[in-house]
PDB file of all heavy atoms in Angstrom:
ATOM      1  N   ARG A   1      81.577  48.971 -12.044  1.00 98.00           N
ATOM      2  CA  ARG A   1      82.824  48.381 -12.531  1.00 98.00           C
ATOM      3  C   ARG A   1      83.968  48.856 -11.647  1.00 98.00           C
ATOM      4  O   ARG A   1      84.097  50.049 -11.371  1.00 98.00           O
ATOM      5  CB  ARG A   1      83.091  48.797 -13.978  1.00 98.00           C
ATOM      6  CG  ARG A   1      84.414  48.223 -14.516  1.00 98.00           C
ATOM      7  CD  ARG A   1      84.608  48.500 -15.987  1.00 98.00           C
ATOM      8  NE  ARG A   1      83.591  47.744 -16.727  1.00 98.00           N
ATOM      9  CZ  ARG A   1      82.798  48.279 -17.655  1.00 98.00           C
ATOM     10  NH1 ARG A   1      82.887  49.542 -17.981  1.00 98.00           N
ATOM     11  NH2 ARG A   1      81.906  47.534 -18.282  1.00 98.00           N
ATOM     12  N   ALA A   2      84.789  47.900 -11.197  1.00 98.00           N
ATOM     13  CA  ALA A   2      85.979  48.219 -10.412  1.00 98.00           C
ATOM     14  C   ALA A   2      87.202  47.820 -11.217  1.00 98.00           C
ATOM     15  O   ALA A   2      87.389  46.642 -11.535  1.00 98.00           O
ATOM     16  CB  ALA A   2      85.964  47.487  -9.079  1.00 98.00           C
ATOM     17  N   GLU A   3      87.992  48.835 -11.559  1.00 98.00           N
ATOM     18  CA  GLU A   3      89.249  48.608 -12.272  1.00 98.00           C
ATOM     19  C   GLU A   3      90.346  49.189 -11.411  1.00 98.00           C
ATOM     20  O   GLU A   3      90.495  50.408 -11.329  1.00 98.00           O
ATOM     21  CB  GLU A   3      89.208  49.277 -13.643  1.00 98.00           C
ATOM     22  CG  GLU A   3      88.166  48.666 -14.563  1.00 98.00           C
ATOM     23  CD  GLU A   3      88.183  49.269 -15.952  1.00 98.00           C
ATOM     24  OE1 GLU A   3      89.279  49.528 -16.469  1.00 98.00           O
ATOM     25  OE2 GLU A   3      87.098  49.488 -16.501  1.00 98.00           O
ATOM     26  N   GLY A   4      91.090  48.306 -10.766  1.00 97.00           N
ATOM     27  CA  GLY A   4      92.090  48.771  -9.816  1.00 97.00           C
ATOM     28  C   GLY A   4      91.410  49.537  -8.694  1.00 97.00           C
ATOM     29  O   GLY A   4      90.495  49.027  -8.066  1.00 97.00           O
ATOM     30  N   MET A   5      91.818  50.780  -8.487  1.00 98.00           N
ATOM     31  CA  MET A   5      91.266  51.588  -7.402  1.00 98.00           C
ATOM     32  C   MET A   5      90.104  52.472  -7.858  1.00 98.00           C
ATOM     33  O   MET A   5      89.591  53.274  -7.093  1.00 98.00           O
ATOM     34  CB  MET A   5      92.368  52.458  -6.801  1.00 98.00           C
ATOM     35  CG  MET A   5      93.512  51.632  -6.233  1.00 98.00           C
ATOM     36  SD  MET A   5      94.897  52.629  -5.688  1.00 98.00           S
ATOM     37  CE  MET A   5      94.286  53.121  -4.095  1.00 98.00           C
ATOM     38  N   ARG A   6      89.656  52.312  -9.091  1.00 98.00           N
ATOM     39  CA  ARG A   6      88.604  53.158  -9.659  1.00 98.00           C
ATOM     40  C   ARG A   6      87.280  52.408  -9.734  1.00 98.00           C
ATOM     41  O   ARG A   6      87.179  51.362 -10.394  1.00 98.00           O
ATOM     42  CB  ARG A   6      89.023  53.607 -11.058  1.00 98.00           C
ATOM     43  CG  ARG A   6      88.019  54.429 -11.768  1.00 98.00           C
ATOM     44  CD  ARG A   6      88.110  55.869 -11.318  1.00 98.00           C
ATOM     45  NE  ARG A   6      87.123  56.645 -12.053  1.00 98.00           N
ATOM     46  CZ  ARG A   6      86.359  57.540 -11.490  1.00 98.00           C
ATOM     47  NH1 ARG A   6      86.470  57.800 -10.214  1.00 98.00           N
ATOM     48  NH2 ARG A   6      85.485  58.201 -12.197  1.00 98.00           N
ATOM     49  N   LEU A   7      86.255  52.939  -9.059  1.00 98.00           N
ATOM     50  CA  LEU A   7      84.910  52.377  -9.104  1.00 98.00           C
ATOM     51  C   LEU A   7      84.016  53.334  -9.883  1.00 98.00           C
ATOM     52  O   LEU A   7      84.069  54.547  -9.679  1.00 98.00           O
ATOM     53  CB  LEU A   7      84.368  52.203  -7.673  1.00 98.00           C
ATOM     54  CG  LEU A   7      82.994  51.552  -7.544  1.00 98.00           C
ATOM     55  CD1 LEU A   7      83.021  50.113  -8.059  1.00 98.00           C
ATOM     56  CD2 LEU A   7      82.531  51.585  -6.089  1.00 98.00           C
ATOM     57  N   SER A   8      83.190  52.787 -10.803  1.00 98.00           N
ATOM     58  CA  SER A   8      82.290  53.617 -11.602  1.00 98.00           C
ATOM     59  C   SER A   8      80.989  52.862 -11.864  1.00 98.00           C
ATOM     60  O   SER A   8      80.918  51.643 -11.712  1.00 98.00           O
ATOM     61  CB  SER A   8      82.944  54.005 -12.928  1.00 98.00           C
ATOM     62  OG  SER A   8      83.296  52.848 -13.666  1.00 98.00           O
ATOM     63  N   ARG A   9      79.968  53.609 -12.267  1.00 96.00           N
ATOM     64  CA  ARG A   9      78.683  53.009 -12.641  1.00 96.00           C
ATOM     65  C   ARG A   9      78.787  52.512 -14.082  1.00 96.00           C
ATOM     66  O   ARG A   9      79.459  53.119 -14.897  1.00 96.00           O
ATOM     67  CB  ARG A   9      77.570  54.045 -12.543  1.00 96.00           C
ATOM     68  CG  ARG A   9      77.229  54.433 -11.133  1.00 96.00           C
ATOM     69  CD  ARG A   9      76.060  55.392 -11.140  1.00 96.00           C
ATOM     70  NE  ARG A   9      76.510  56.683 -11.628  1.00 96.00           N
ATOM     71  CZ  ARG A   9      76.513  57.793 -10.905  1.00 96.00           C
ATOM     72  NH1 ARG A   9      76.074  57.766  -9.676  1.00 96.00           N
ATOM     73  NH2 ARG A   9      76.943  58.913 -11.411  1.00 96.00           N
ATOM     74  N   VAL A  10      78.075  51.432 -14.378  1.00 95.00           N
ATOM     75  CA  VAL A  10      78.091  50.866 -15.728  1.00 95.00           C
ATOM     76  C   VAL A  10      76.783  51.151 -16.451  1.00 95.00           C
ATOM     77  O   VAL A  10      76.785  51.589 -17.584  1.00 95.00           O
ATOM     78  CB  VAL A  10      78.354  49.343 -15.686  1.00 95.00           C
ATOM     79  CG1 VAL A  10      78.197  48.717 -17.061  1.00 95.00           C
ATOM     80  CG2 VAL A  10      79.742  49.061 -15.137  1.00 95.00           C
ATOM     81  N   GLU A  11      75.667  50.888 -15.811  1.00 76.00           N
ATOM     82  CA  GLU A  11      74.375  51.007 -16.473  1.00 76.00           C
ATOM     83  C   GLU A  11      73.581  52.162 -15.888  1.00 76.00           C
ATOM     84  O   GLU A  11      73.918  52.700 -14.839  1.00 76.00           O
ATOM     85  CB  GLU A  11      73.595  49.707 -16.309  1.00 76.00           C
ATOM     86  CG  GLU A  11      74.277  48.539 -16.995  1.00 76.00           C
ATOM     87  CD  GLU A  11      73.497  47.252 -16.861  1.00 76.00           C
ATOM     88  OE1 GLU A  11      72.429  47.242 -16.227  1.00 76.00           O
ATOM     89  OE2 GLU A  11      73.976  46.253 -17.386  1.00 76.00           O
ATOM     90  N   GLY A  12      72.488  52.522 -16.557  1.00 77.00           N
ATOM     91  CA  GLY A  12      71.629  53.613 -16.108  1.00 77.00           C
ATOM     92  C   GLY A  12      71.118  53.416 -14.694  1.00 77.00           C
ATOM     93  O   GLY A  12      70.748  52.319 -14.297  1.00 77.00           O
ATOM     94  N   PHE A  13      71.132  54.485 -13.954  1.00 87.00           N
ATOM     95  CA  PHE A  13      70.707  54.438 -12.560  1.00 87.00           C
ATOM     96  C   PHE A  13      69.467  55.287 -12.327  1.00 87.00           C
ATOM     97  O   PHE A  13      69.158  55.648 -11.208  1.00 87.00           O
ATOM     98  CB  PHE A  13      71.854  54.916 -11.652  1.00 87.00           C
ATOM     99  CG  PHE A  13      72.869  53.845 -11.370  1.00 87.00           C
ATOM    100  CD1 PHE A  13      73.610  53.283 -12.396  1.00 87.00           C
ATOM    101  CD2 PHE A  13      73.080  53.395 -10.080  1.00 87.00           C
ATOM    102  CE1 PHE A  13      74.548  52.295 -12.149  1.00 87.00           C
ATOM    103  CE2 PHE A  13      74.014  52.406  -9.822  1.00 87.00           C
ATOM    104  CZ  PHE A  13      74.750  51.857 -10.853  1.00 87.00           C
ATOM    105  N   GLY A  14      68.750  55.643 -13.363  1.00 88.00           N
ATOM    106  CA  GLY A  14      67.552  56.459 -13.219  1.00 88.00           C
ATOM    107  C   GLY A  14      66.398  55.663 -12.623  1.00 88.00           C
ATOM    108  O   GLY A  14      66.356  54.440 -12.678  1.00 88.00           O
ATOM    109  N   GLY A  15      65.456  56.389 -12.050  1.00 91.00           N
ATOM    110  CA  GLY A  15      64.236  55.759 -11.560  1.00 91.00           C
ATOM    111  C   GLY A  15      64.378  55.008 -10.256  1.00 91.00           C
ATOM    112  O   GLY A  15      63.504  54.216  -9.904  1.00 91.00           O
ATOM    113  N   ILE A  16      65.434  55.235  -9.499  1.00 93.00           N
ATOM    114  CA  ILE A  16      65.575  54.591  -8.189  1.00 93.00           C
ATOM    115  C   ILE A  16      64.829  55.467  -7.187  1.00 93.00           C
ATOM    116  O   ILE A  16      65.110  56.645  -7.043  1.00 93.00           O
ATOM    117  CB  ILE A  16      67.049  54.448  -7.784  1.00 93.00           C
ATOM    118  CG1 ILE A  16      67.804  53.611  -8.814  1.00 93.00           C
ATOM    119  CG2 ILE A  16      67.160  53.828  -6.399  1.00 93.00           C
ATOM    120  CD1 ILE A  16      69.298  53.612  -8.619  1.00 93.00           C
ATOM    121  N   VAL A  17      63.862  54.879  -6.504  1.00 93.00           N
ATOM    122  CA  VAL A  17      63.028  55.617  -5.570  1.00 93.00           C
ATOM    123  C   VAL A  17      63.456  55.288  -4.139  1.00 93.00           C
ATOM    124  O   VAL A  17      63.684  54.131  -3.796  1.00 93.00           O
ATOM    125  CB  VAL A  17      61.535  55.281  -5.784  1.00 93.00           C
ATOM    126  CG1 VAL A  17      60.655  56.019  -4.782  1.00 93.00           C
ATOM    127  CG2 VAL A  17      61.122  55.619  -7.211  1.00 93.00           C
ATOM    128  N   ALA A  18      63.571  56.328  -3.323  1.00 94.00           N
ATOM    129  CA  ALA A  18      63.997  56.171  -1.927  1.00 94.00           C
ATOM    130  C   ALA A  18      63.050  55.254  -1.164  1.00 94.00           C
ATOM    131  O   ALA A  18      61.854  55.200  -1.447  1.00 94.00           O
ATOM    132  CB  ALA A  18      64.053  57.535  -1.247  1.00 94.00           C
ATOM    133  N   GLY A  19      63.603  54.519  -0.215  1.00 92.00           N
ATOM    134  CA  GLY A  19      62.800  53.711   0.692  1.00 92.00           C
ATOM    135  C   GLY A  19      62.664  52.251   0.315  1.00 92.00           C
ATOM    136  O   GLY A  19      61.967  51.507   1.001  1.00 92.00           O
ATOM    137  N   SER A  20      63.331  51.797  -0.741  1.00 91.00           N
ATOM    138  CA  SER A  20      63.251  50.383  -1.115  1.00 91.00           C
ATOM    139  C   SER A  20      63.934  49.519  -0.061  1.00 91.00           C
ATOM    140  O   SER A  20      64.895  49.939   0.577  1.00 91.00           O
ATOM    141  CB  SER A  20      63.928  50.144  -2.463  1.00 91.00           C
ATOM    142  OG  SER A  20      63.256  50.828  -3.483  1.00 91.00           O
ATOM    143  N   SER A  21      63.426  48.315   0.104  1.00 94.00           N
ATOM    144  CA  SER A  21      64.021  47.383   1.059  1.00 94.00           C
ATOM    145  C   SER A  21      64.025  45.983   0.447  1.00 94.00           C
ATOM    146  O   SER A  21      62.978  45.501   0.005  1.00 94.00           O
ATOM    147  CB  SER A  21      63.223  47.380   2.361  1.00 94.00           C
ATOM    148  OG  SER A  21      63.764  46.470   3.276  1.00 94.00           O
ATOM    149  N   GLY A  22      65.204  45.357   0.372  1.00 95.00           N
ATOM    150  CA  GLY A  22      65.304  44.009  -0.166  1.00 95.00           C
ATOM    151  C   GLY A  22      65.146  43.923  -1.676  1.00 95.00           C
ATOM    152  O   GLY A  22      65.017  42.824  -2.209  1.00 95.00           O
ATOM    153  N   TYR A  23      65.156  45.049  -2.365  1.00 96.00           N
ATOM    154  CA  TYR A  23      64.911  45.060  -3.807  1.00 96.00           C
ATOM    155  C   TYR A  23      66.165  45.346  -4.630  1.00 96.00           C
ATOM    156  O   TYR A  23      66.339  44.793  -5.710  1.00 96.00           O
ATOM    157  CB  TYR A  23      63.833  46.098  -4.131  1.00 96.00           C
ATOM    158  CG  TYR A  23      63.534  46.231  -5.597  1.00 96.00           C
ATOM    159  CD1 TYR A  23      62.957  45.178  -6.310  1.00 96.00           C
ATOM    160  CD2 TYR A  23      63.823  47.394  -6.282  1.00 96.00           C
ATOM    161  CE1 TYR A  23      62.689  45.296  -7.665  1.00 96.00           C
ATOM    162  CE2 TYR A  23      63.557  47.524  -7.636  1.00 96.00           C
ATOM    163  CZ  TYR A  23      62.991  46.471  -8.316  1.00 96.00           C
ATOM    164  OH  TYR A  23      62.736  46.586  -9.657  1.00 96.00           O
ATOM    165  N   LEU A  24      67.058  46.193  -4.128  1.00 97.00           N
ATOM    166  CA  LEU A  24      68.243  46.588  -4.894  1.00 97.00           C
ATOM    167  C   LEU A  24      69.416  45.659  -4.605  1.00 97.00           C
ATOM    168  O   LEU A  24      69.681  45.309  -3.459  1.00 97.00           O
ATOM    169  CB  LEU A  24      68.636  48.027  -4.563  1.00 97.00           C
ATOM    170  CG  LEU A  24      67.608  49.100  -4.893  1.00 97.00           C
ATOM    171  CD1 LEU A  24      68.084  50.457  -4.379  1.00 97.00           C
ATOM    172  CD2 LEU A  24      67.318  49.149  -6.382  1.00 97.00           C
ATOM    173  N   ARG A  25      70.124  45.307  -5.674  1.00 97.00           N
ATOM    174  CA  ARG A  25      71.333  44.486  -5.536  1.00 97.00           C
ATOM    175  C   ARG A  25      72.461  45.184  -6.279  1.00 97.00           C
ATOM    176  O   ARG A  25      72.278  45.646  -7.411  1.00 97.00           O
ATOM    177  CB  ARG A  25      71.097  43.107  -6.126  1.00 97.00           C
ATOM    178  CG  ARG A  25      72.275  42.153  -5.940  1.00 97.00           C
ATOM    179  CD  ARG A  25      71.906  40.764  -6.353  1.00 97.00           C
ATOM    180  NE  ARG A  25      71.939  40.662  -7.811  1.00 97.00           N
ATOM    181  CZ  ARG A  25      72.418  39.610  -8.472  1.00 97.00           C
ATOM    182  NH1 ARG A  25      72.879  38.569  -7.821  1.00 97.00           N
ATOM    183  NH2 ARG A  25      72.417  39.599  -9.786  1.00 97.00           N
ATOM    184  N   ALA A  26      73.612  45.285  -5.646  1.00 98.00           N
ATOM    185  CA  ALA A  26      74.799  45.855  -6.274  1.00 98.00           C
ATOM    186  C   ALA A  26      75.610  44.725  -6.903  1.00 98.00           C
ATOM    187  O   ALA A  26      75.932  43.741  -6.232  1.00 98.00           O
ATOM    188  CB  ALA A  26      75.634  46.608  -5.247  1.00 98.00           C
ATOM    189  N   VAL A  27      75.907  44.874  -8.178  1.00 97.00           N
ATOM    190  CA  VAL A  27      76.690  43.883  -8.917  1.00 97.00           C
ATOM    191  C   VAL A  27      77.970  44.581  -9.368  1.00 97.00           C
ATOM    192  O   VAL A  27      77.917  45.673  -9.937  1.00 97.00           O
ATOM    193  CB  VAL A  27      75.909  43.350 -10.139  1.00 97.00           C
ATOM    194  CG1 VAL A  27      76.766  42.370 -10.937  1.00 97.00           C
ATOM    195  CG2 VAL A  27      74.607  42.707  -9.695  1.00 97.00           C
ATOM    196  N   PHE A  28      79.106  43.955  -9.116  1.00 98.00           N
ATOM    197  CA  PHE A  28      80.398  44.570  -9.405  1.00 98.00           C
ATOM    198  C   PHE A  28      81.155  43.743 -10.435  1.00 98.00           C
ATOM    199  O   PHE A  28      81.387  42.550 -10.231  1.00 98.00           O
ATOM    200  CB  PHE A  28      81.224  44.691  -8.124  1.00 98.00           C
ATOM    201  CG  PHE A  28      80.574  45.559  -7.089  1.00 98.00           C
ATOM    202  CD1 PHE A  28      79.723  45.013  -6.153  1.00 98.00           C
ATOM    203  CD2 PHE A  28      80.788  46.932  -7.071  1.00 98.00           C
ATOM    204  CE1 PHE A  28      79.105  45.809  -5.198  1.00 98.00           C
ATOM    205  CE2 PHE A  28      80.177  47.737  -6.127  1.00 98.00           C
ATOM    206  CZ  PHE A  28      79.336  47.177  -5.190  1.00 98.00           C
ATOM    207  N   GLU A  29      81.519  44.389 -11.544  1.00 98.00           N
ATOM    208  CA  GLU A  29      82.409  43.780 -12.534  1.00 98.00           C
ATOM    209  C   GLU A  29      83.822  44.108 -12.060  1.00 98.00           C
ATOM    210  O   GLU A  29      84.225  45.273 -12.071  1.00 98.00           O
ATOM    211  CB  GLU A  29      82.138  44.364 -13.914  1.00 98.00           C
ATOM    212  CG  GLU A  29      80.756  44.081 -14.433  1.00 98.00           C
ATOM    213  CD  GLU A  29      80.460  44.769 -15.746  1.00 98.00           C
ATOM    214  OE1 GLU A  29      81.277  45.602 -16.216  1.00 98.00           O
ATOM    215  OE2 GLU A  29      79.385  44.493 -16.315  1.00 98.00           O
ATOM    216  N   LEU A  30      84.546  43.094 -11.635  1.00 98.00           N
ATOM    217  CA  LEU A  30      85.856  43.288 -11.020  1.00 98.00           C
ATOM    218  C   LEU A  30      86.982  42.991 -11.996  1.00 98.00           C
ATOM    219  O   LEU A  30      86.965  41.958 -12.682  1.00 98.00           O
ATOM    220  CB  LEU A  30      85.992  42.391  -9.788  1.00 98.00           C
ATOM    221  CG  LEU A  30      84.917  42.554  -8.708  1.00 98.00           C
ATOM    222  CD1 LEU A  30      85.059  41.468  -7.644  1.00 98.00           C
ATOM    223  CD2 LEU A  30      84.992  43.935  -8.087  1.00 98.00           C
ATOM    224  N   SER A  31      87.974  43.868 -12.038  1.00 98.00           N
ATOM    225  CA  SER A  31      89.145  43.652 -12.886  1.00 98.00           C
ATOM    226  C   SER A  31      90.001  42.527 -12.291  1.00 98.00           C
ATOM    227  O   SER A  31      89.808  42.125 -11.129  1.00 98.00           O
ATOM    228  CB  SER A  31      89.955  44.945 -13.014  1.00 98.00           C
ATOM    229  OG  SER A  31      90.569  45.279 -11.781  1.00 98.00           O
ATOM    230  N   PRO A  32      90.962  42.017 -13.056  1.00 97.00           N
ATOM    231  CA  PRO A  32      91.829  40.939 -12.563  1.00 97.00           C
ATOM    232  C   PRO A  32      92.579  41.286 -11.265  1.00 97.00           C
ATOM    233  O   PRO A  32      93.011  40.385 -10.547  1.00 97.00           O
ATOM    234  CB  PRO A  32      92.809  40.711 -13.713  1.00 97.00           C
ATOM    235  CG  PRO A  32      92.058  41.122 -14.932  1.00 97.00           C
ATOM    236  CD  PRO A  32      91.221  42.297 -14.483  1.00 97.00           C
ATOM    237  N   ASP A  33      92.710  42.569 -10.942  1.00 96.00           N
ATOM    238  CA  ASP A  33      93.364  42.972  -9.695  1.00 96.00           C
ATOM    239  C   ASP A  33      92.707  42.338  -8.471  1.00 96.00           C
ATOM    240  O   ASP A  33      93.329  42.181  -7.435  1.00 96.00           O
ATOM    241  CB  ASP A  33      93.306  44.496  -9.517  1.00 96.00           C
ATOM    242  CG  ASP A  33      93.938  45.232 -10.669  1.00 96.00           C
ATOM    243  OD1 ASP A  33      95.081  44.911 -11.018  1.00 96.00           O
ATOM    244  OD2 ASP A  33      93.280  46.141 -11.219  1.00 96.00           O
ATOM    245  N   TYR A  34      91.428  41.980  -8.595  1.00 97.00           N
ATOM    246  CA  TYR A  34      90.654  41.497  -7.459  1.00 97.00           C
ATOM    247  C   TYR A  34      90.674  39.974  -7.305  1.00 97.00           C
ATOM    248  O   TYR A  34      90.087  39.450  -6.361  1.00 97.00           O
ATOM    249  CB  TYR A  34      89.214  41.991  -7.579  1.00 97.00           C
ATOM    250  CG  TYR A  34      89.102  43.481  -7.366  1.00 97.00           C
ATOM    251  CD1 TYR A  34      89.373  44.372  -8.399  1.00 97.00           C
ATOM    252  CD2 TYR A  34      88.758  44.006  -6.132  1.00 97.00           C
ATOM    253  CE1 TYR A  34      89.299  45.741  -8.214  1.00 97.00           C
ATOM    254  CE2 TYR A  34      88.685  45.372  -5.929  1.00 97.00           C
ATOM    255  CZ  TYR A  34      88.958  46.227  -6.971  1.00 97.00           C
ATOM    256  OH  TYR A  34      88.889  47.590  -6.773  1.00 97.00           O
ATOM    257  N   GLU A  35      91.345  39.278  -8.226  1.00 96.00           N
ATOM    258  CA  GLU A  35      91.391  37.819  -8.152  1.00 96.00           C
ATOM    259  C   GLU A  35      92.053  37.380  -6.851  1.00 96.00           C
ATOM    260  O   GLU A  35      93.104  37.894  -6.468  1.00 96.00           O
ATOM    261  CB  GLU A  35      92.139  37.242  -9.353  1.00 96.00           C
ATOM    262  CG  GLU A  35      91.333  37.328 -10.628  1.00 96.00           C
ATOM    263  CD  GLU A  35      92.058  36.720 -11.810  1.00 96.00           C
ATOM    264  OE1 GLU A  35      92.962  35.880 -11.612  1.00 96.00           O
ATOM    265  OE2 GLU A  35      91.719  37.111 -12.940  1.00 96.00           O
TER     266      GLU A  35
END
């Protein structure tokens, strides 16, 4: 989640294993500041 200048995690990030390729996607919930 991005609210103004503050970026934070929203959901659980456990169980991410090093070395993945083409599998992880970053999704950003953007505040109205980013319109």
Side-chain angles (χ1 to χ4, degrees):
R1 179 174 293 130
E3 295 184 40
M5 300 174 81
R6 178 82 179 136
L7 183 64
S8 59
R9 289 184 287 244
V10 173
E11 296 181 359
F13 278 62
I16 301 170
V17 178
S20 296
S21 179
Y23 178 66
L24 298 174
R25 184 171 78 140
V27 177
F28 298 90
E29 297 175 352
L30 304 172
S31 69
D33 302 309
Y34 290 82
E35 287 182 22

